[in-house]
Amino acid sequence: TSWIVEGKVYTIAGFSNQWKSKVAYDHASYFIKQGKKVLFINLEVSDYFCLWNIIASTEWVPFQEAMSTFEPSEKLYKKLMIRDDIDNLDGICDQIRSAQCDIVFVDFVQNIEAWWSDYEKHSKIARTMQRIAIETNVTLFCLSQLPNSALQALRTKDFDMITPKWAGEYFASSDVIIFIHQEEMINGERKLIFTIWKNKFWQ
């Protein structure tokens, strides 16, 4: 996960409450420190909550401190834009075009509003995310839920049977997919595992 390719779609997939957003905040802080222009479109929490998490990650302070007494280094965040007021597909695409950022996060894609049946909606969202990344040459990180039906495949580590929730196009339209899951307790600690389960840039 130490390098990315411009104009490509990276999907961070996992079950509910499996730290997908926290991983995205950590990635955002990594790019902020590099001086990249970052747009974070959040369909799940407020812009303030998102900002506090990114500050906590960027400046290595506890979240509670980031949201209360901590005084962040403002110059670090001059190229960070957070939006929590856009929930439809056209609005998100318009924002990505106008912001002209290097990196865009969408948390999370199944919450995007579109006017079709479930399968048509998510198929359209997945294909549109791929097209907007190509059109604008931004690196797009899409956070995605996994269906509960994938739990059995996870137990047997049959990753080929797991795909993001609602539409196979989320898999097909992603260049890289990082699957986050928790293993059993190892030496008294619960380990968070990243499985790179699709990568067009590998053999």
Side-chain angles (χ1 to χ4, degrees):
T1 59
S2 62
W3 60 277
I4 61 165
V5 180
E6 292 177 348
K8 303 301 181 185
V9 177
Y10 289 71
T11 294
I12 300 173
F15 297 105
S16 182
N17 297 320
Q18 289 259 287
W19 293 75
K20 295 185 298 298
S21 295
K22 189 65 84 174
V23 169
Y25 300 142
D26 285 349
H27 274 66
S29 69
Y30 173 78
F31 298 126
I32 287 167
K33 289 173 184 176
Q34 290 184 324
K36 301 294 185 183
K37 189 174 181 182
V38 176
L39 168 63
F40 207 116
I41 298 173
N42 209 311
L43 294 93
E44 197 170 27
V45 300
S46 72
D47 53 357
Y48 286 107
F49 190 87
C50 181
L51 176 60
W52 293 327
N53 271 283
I54 292 173
I55 290 171
S57 180
T58 304
E59 304 198 51
W60 289 87
V61 295
F63 174 76
Q64 295 293 336
E65 186 178 339
M67 67 181 293
S68 56
T69 59
F70 184 72
E71 294 186 9
S73 174
E74 291 186 19
K75 65 180 181 181
L76 278 173
Y77 309 100
K78 288 187 181 296
K79 293 184 178 181
L80 172 65
M81 180 185 304
I82 301 174
R83 295 294 301 269
D84 65 357
D85 58 344
I86 311 170
D87 63 0
N88 65 83
L89 187 57
D90 289 341
I92 287 171
C93 289
D94 288 345
Q95 179 63 68
I96 292 171
R97 289 188 187 100
S98 64
Q100 298 183 335
C101 288
D102 302 301
I103 315 287
V104 176
F105 292 86
V106 179
D107 184 6
F108 61 98
V109 291
Q110 280 88 1
N111 264 359
I112 296 174
E113 291 293 333
W115 305 109
W116 301 281
S117 66
D118 277 340
Y119 175 77
E120 290 171 332
K121 165 186 170 177
H122 293 289
S123 174
K124 174 74 171 178
I125 290 169
R127 288 183 282 110
T128 301
M129 291 293 99
Q130 184 180 46
R131 286 201 305 272
I132 196 70
I134 293 168
E135 174 192 331
T136 60
N137 202 41
V138 303
T139 303
L140 180 58
F141 282 83
C142 293
L143 278 65
S144 177
Q145 295 276 21
L146 290 175
N148 290 334
S149 60
L151 283 168
Q152 183 56 39
L154 173 61
R155 292 188 187 101
T156 59
K157 300 193 184 304
D158 189 0
F159 296 118
D160 289 340
M161 297 301 294
I162 302 174
T163 191
K165 193 174 183 179
W166 294 117
E169 280 80 1
Y170 284 123
F171 187 94
S173 297
S174 299
D175 297 287
V176 175
I177 300 180
I178 301 169
F179 174 36
I180 300 174
H181 53 110
Q182 287 186 337
E183 293 271 311
E184 297 299 318
M185 298 290 284
I186 301 172
N187 297 327
E189 294 182 354
R190 185 172 295 280
K191 299 294 185 179
L192 190 66
I193 307 299
F194 282 20
T195 297
I196 298 181
W197 139 56
K198 177 183 179 181
N199 191 337
K200 286 184 179 179
F201 313 113
W202 286 354
Q203 294 179 356

